[in-house]
Amino acid sequence: MRLLITGGAGFIGSHIVDAALEKGWQVRVLDLLDSGIHPVPPRFDSRVELLTGDVADPATVRRALEGIQTVCHQSAKVGLGVSFADAPDYIRNNDYATAVLLAAMEEQRIRRLVLASSVVVYGEGAYTDPESGLPVRPGQRREDDLRAGIFDPRSPDTGAILEPALITEDARLDPRNVYAASKLSQEHLAAVWARAVGGSVIALLYHNVYGPRMPGDTPYAGVASLFRSALARGQAPRVFEDGAQRRSFVHVRDVAAANILAAESLYPAPGPGPRPHFRAYNVGADDTHTIGDVAVALSSFSGGPAPVTNGQYRLGDVRHITASSNRIKKELGWSPSTGFDAGMRELATAPLRGSEPG
């Protein structure tokens, strides 16, 4: 297979490059190699063809697509950002760049796309009413509750504290920040493109991805990276709220494996029935852990100071979001292979991106 990986120098993209090379595929990477994101220039395997450039530039994208069969689109501005002032950057790098890529793919008759999406498109996760056991979709948490240390959302009908459940791909989408809105827009653009040109898209909704080569401590980094960066400075990880926020932490090599299976599945064996133009899959761990669990594990495995739970909160934060990955297991045969303890032990001593060459 001749595969283009946009953002292939990044945290997740670089692991997809490794996995694709192990399959014997021909790999081309398109990456801007922004010095703010890559303070140390990354090293690539000699088998990788690197094209340095912007996914939002049509001429660059047309060159990158020459001779390509499948695109794995990882390039994006990630994280929750600092303020709404980040919105133009998110729209340019996520939505406009995706539109440029899709237009060029139509022009060059490339019809297969694996799209990196995110759990953030769901907003709050799935919840059930403690009395009826029925699913309930909560609204935004109340500030008076947060000030009082009541962090779990309430039923909008009864006021009861809701119980978290696993969210599935059929859940209503409810993006609650600019990054989330931009990721959902990417999905919509890809779905429209697939129907218009007869293409096939698999969107992988990443849950909390962690592992080697994570970016360092920036406002756009994930919580595991923030904790790991604090420990590298000899500081205690600072945990917001009560640390009981539930997440599905999935190792980056398992995410890379999901991308490989997705790319392969875009070449199905002949069979009866139409093939969907667009299919979304959650990519999360089998078990759930709390943010506090991550802080404790990284502190313990690194021999660093114990975490500090500070009770602070941000109004826009999601309380619980955990995935059911049954669809991707059943349809693509994927399952995570790196357990939480093993993965966190590795992350506790692995260098973060930019801390050393390569």
Side-chain angles (χ1 to χ4, degrees), residues 12-330:
I12 296 173
S14 66
H15 285 275
I16 299 171
V17 169
D18 293 346
L21 291 175
E22 288 180 8
K23 298 287 291 186
W25 296 354
Q26 297 177 43
V27 176
R28 180 179 296 154
V29 166
L30 172 59
D31 200 295
L32 188 58
L33 296 184
D34 187 327
S35 60
I37 300 171
H38 302 280
V40 177
R43 294 175 181 168
F44 286 95
D45 187 288
S46 60
R47 293 170 290 176
V48 174
E49 181 186 354
L50 173 64
L51 179 60
T52 303
D54 191 345
V55 183
D57 176 60
T60 297
V61 171
R62 284 194 290 269
R63 289 198 304 273
L65 289 173
E66 291 176 359
I68 291 297
Q69 295 172 306
T70 303
V71 176
C72 186
H73 185 31
Q74 304 295 312
S75 174
K77 182 179 177 71
V78 301
L80 300 185
V82 177
S83 72
F84 200 85
D86 284 327
D89 241 8
Y90 278 108
I91 300 308
R92 180 193 182 278
N93 288 288
N94 297 357
D95 302 337
Y96 177 72
T98 298
V100 168
L101 174 66
L102 294 173
M105 289 176 68
E106 178 182 15
E107 180 183 296
Q108 299 196 30
R109 298 184 176 276
I110 300 167
R111 299 290 186 260
R112 299 176 179 91
L113 174 69
V114 180
L115 174 67
S117 188
S118 170
V119 63
V120 296
V121 301
Y122 293 122
E124 274 287 355
Y127 292 86
T128 59
D129 182 273
E131 295 183 4
S132 68
L134 295 175
V136 177
R137 192 69 173 172
Q140 185 164 315
R141 294 182 292 171
R142 301 185 335 205
E143 189 166 10
D144 58 338
D145 274 348
L146 296 173
R147 285 197 300 265
I150 301 171
F151 299 115
D152 289 307
R154 296 180 183 270
S155 166
D157 298 321
T158 68
I161 299 295
L162 299 175
E163 296 177 349
L166 298 180
I167 200 160
T168 68
E169 293 88 348
D170 297 322
R172 180 170 63 89
L173 304 180
D174 183 23
R176 298 191 177 193
N177 55 62
V178 173
Y179 171 57
S182 74
K183 296 306 289 184
L184 182 54
S185 179
Q186 281 186 300
E187 288 193 27
H188 288 166
L189 284 167
V192 170
W193 168 85
R195 286 191 293 269
V197 306
S200 296
V201 178
I202 287 179
L204 299 178
L205 278 67
Y206 301 156
H207 284 244
N208 289 67
V209 186
Y210 73 95
R213 306 176 203 160
M214 290 191 80
D217 188 355
T218 78
Y220 307 94
V223 66
S225 177
L226 297 177
F227 293 162
R228 173 70 177 79
S229 296
L231 289 162
R233 297 190 300 268
Q235 299 172 353
R238 301 185 65 81
V239 182
F240 275 34
E241 301 184 13
D242 58 358
Q245 307 94 308
R246 290 160 56 102
R247 297 290 187 270
S248 180
F249 291 93
V250 59
H251 195 277
V252 66
R253 286 193 295 272
D254 289 325
V255 171
N259 277 270
I260 297 301
L261 287 170
E264 290 177 326
S265 75
L266 295 174
Y267 295 82
R275 183 155 47 96
H277 290 302
F278 180 94
R279 191 69 164 158
Y281 295 99
N282 284 332
V283 181
D286 282 334
D287 49 5
T288 62
H289 288 85
T290 68
I291 287 176
D293 290 339
V294 174
V296 168
L298 290 175
S299 293
S300 174
F301 291 138
S302 67
V308 174
T309 302
N310 58 27
Q312 295 178 11
Y313 60 86
R314 294 174 294 198
L315 282 176
D317 281 357
V318 169
R319 176 61 173 174
H320 303 297
I321 179 73
T322 54
S324 167
S325 298
N326 286 338
R327 177 185 286 182
I328 192 172
K329 291 177 181 179
K330 179 180 179 181

